[in-house]
Amino acid sequence: MLFHTRNAARAAVAAVLSLCAATAAMAQAWPTKPITIVVAYPAGGDTDAIARTYAEKLSQRVGQPVLVDNRPGASGMIGNVWVAKAQADGYTLLFTPSTFPIAQHVLKTGPGVAHDVVKDFTPIVKTGNIPLLLVTAPATGIQSVAQLVAGAKAGKTFTYGTPGAGSPMHIAGELLNKDAGISATHAPYRGVAPVVNDTLGGHVSVGWITPGAVAGHIAAGKLLPLAVAERQRTKLMPDVPTFIELGFKDVDVSAWMGLLGPKAMPADVVQALNKHFNEILKMPDVQARMAALGIEPVGGAPAVLAKQISDDDQRFGRLVREFGIRAD
């Protein structure tokens, strides 16, 4: 009886060791087939554009095709759920902007799109940071944030345009209202281009936008940058002050982009992807492409992205409830 027990124990240990060895071999062999990066937004936007740049570079490094699959809808949640339910083998990934932890708080979610941004995904790398700028057209006569605030307190009416209700820009606008003690009216648009056009035309007093969308207009003197909603000045526009510098300590809203996979991805695959992307982000041509789109390279360990998502999920959830923000 003791003999059989010992044999059973040895067999069990052997089975576990065999499974571990097989799992390690699979991770070491990755990738052996094409990789898909899901972008939960339509083709042609900044998220899609930079995802394709990364996909091309990753394909060159791993020797396998890397495909971008656009799955738009529900402010990204349709694509998010698709990846959350995919096999966690490193062949289906999600490249997402910072609406990722916000959308679930501003949209009504049904069973088909419900997911947990912290528990249902494996963070891989935070690829970039996207500063949020407050800009105005010279014709408005607004020369500074202080002037805007003083005018609003004196009874003047101001509007601020954003790419949509529930966007990071919308939250930044409401934080400025709260911090400055004013009540500028939100004018939500469907996308970046209409915000730029109506800010250029003076149809809104100011616009919340990203540097890549307005750098040319600023250089041409058609738009004036008032401040950036970052803790520190952005290298993309180092002469533009932060709201914190100007005394508005709560107006700190960073947009970002990052790569994730389904939960429980093999650690070796996560480490390999993280290493590849950290090296891709250092490539001069990639950095030039990112700068043109108004994105600052970040990189770092998976924990950097994990903390960003967790912090944003908690903070933006609270702010969305406080301001009563709902997406259209």
Side-chain angles (χ1 to χ4, degrees):
M1 187 68 173
L2 181 60
F3 176 78
H4 290 297
T5 302
R6 286 176 176 170
N7 279 350
R10 287 170 182 162
V13 171
V16 170
L17 292 174
S18 176
L19 178 61
C20 290
T23 301
M26 287 175 61
Q28 290 170 0
W30 177 95
T32 59
K33 61 181 182 179
I35 299 166
T36 297
I37 297 178
V38 173
V39 173
Y41 293 88
D46 287 357
T47 305
D48 175 72
I50 198 61
R52 293 180 186 277
T53 297
Y54 297 149
E56 178 184 355
K57 296 297 185 181
L58 182 62
S59 178
Q60 293 170 359
R61 293 178 66 85
V62 301
Q64 291 288 344
V66 181
L67 312 173
V68 173
D69 182 10
N70 298 94
R71 292 184 174 272
S75 292
M77 291 197 291
I78 289 176
N80 297 350
V81 170
W82 176 267
V83 174
K85 293 181 177 179
Q87 188 171 350
D89 54 8
Y91 292 99
T92 303
L93 308 171
L94 175 69
F95 183 69
T96 182
S98 54
T99 48
F100 176 71
I102 301 175
Q104 61 184 346
H105 296 292
V106 299
L107 289 173
K108 293 181 179 179
T109 57
V113 295
H115 59 281
D116 188 311
V117 296
V118 174
K119 297 179 181 179
D120 293 342
F121 298 86
T122 300
I124 297 169
V125 64
K126 181 180 177 182
T127 60
N129 196 62
I130 309 169
L132 302 185
L133 289 171
L134 186 65
V135 301
T136 190
T140 64
I142 301 170
Q143 296 292 318
S144 67
V145 176
Q147 185 181 354
L148 184 155
V149 171
K153 289 184 175 180
K156 292 184 179 179
T157 300
F158 292 99
T159 53
Y160 71 91
T162 76
S167 64
M169 296 78 158
H170 183 188
I171 292 172
E174 289 306 305
L175 281 170
L176 178 58
N177 271 346
K178 179 184 177 181
D179 212 359
I182 62 175
S183 55
T185 301
H186 181 217
Y189 291 84
R190 292 191 179 276
V192 170
V195 181
V196 176
N197 291 337
D198 273 14
T199 305
L200 284 166
H203 301 297
V204 289
S205 310
V206 292
W208 282 97
I209 205 68
T210 55
V214 293
H217 297 303
I218 291 172
K222 295 180 180 179
L223 287 174
L224 173 68
L226 300 176
V228 60
E230 292 281 317
R231 290 184 181 276
Q232 299 177 340
R233 294 193 182 198
T234 172
K235 294 179 181 178
L236 299 172
M237 294 184 177
D239 294 333
V240 180
T242 68
F243 281 95
I244 294 174
E245 285 180 63
L246 300 177
F248 305 101
K249 61 181 178 61
D250 293 328
V251 187
D252 171 21
V253 182
S254 293
W256 50 266
M257 292 180 172
L259 185 74
L260 306 97
K263 67 179 179 181
M265 279 180 59
D268 287 353
V269 174
V270 174
Q271 291 170 5
L273 279 164
N274 180 270
K275 185 175 185 294
H276 282 305
F277 268 82
N278 271 289
E279 293 178 2
I280 288 169
L281 292 171
K282 294 176 183 176
M283 295 179 177
D285 58 333
V286 172
Q287 291 189 350
R289 177 61 172 149
M290 292 176 72
L293 293 171
I295 309 169
E296 298 173 325
V298 178
V304 174
L305 179 58
K307 185 177 188 306
Q308 182 77 65
I309 292 170
S310 177
D311 288 352
D312 281 3
D313 180 40
Q314 295 178 40
R315 184 188 182 209
F316 289 136
R318 175 178 56 80
L319 291 174
V320 163
R321 292 188 296 271
E322 178 182 344
F323 298 137
I325 292 175
R326 300 299 298 178
D328 295 333

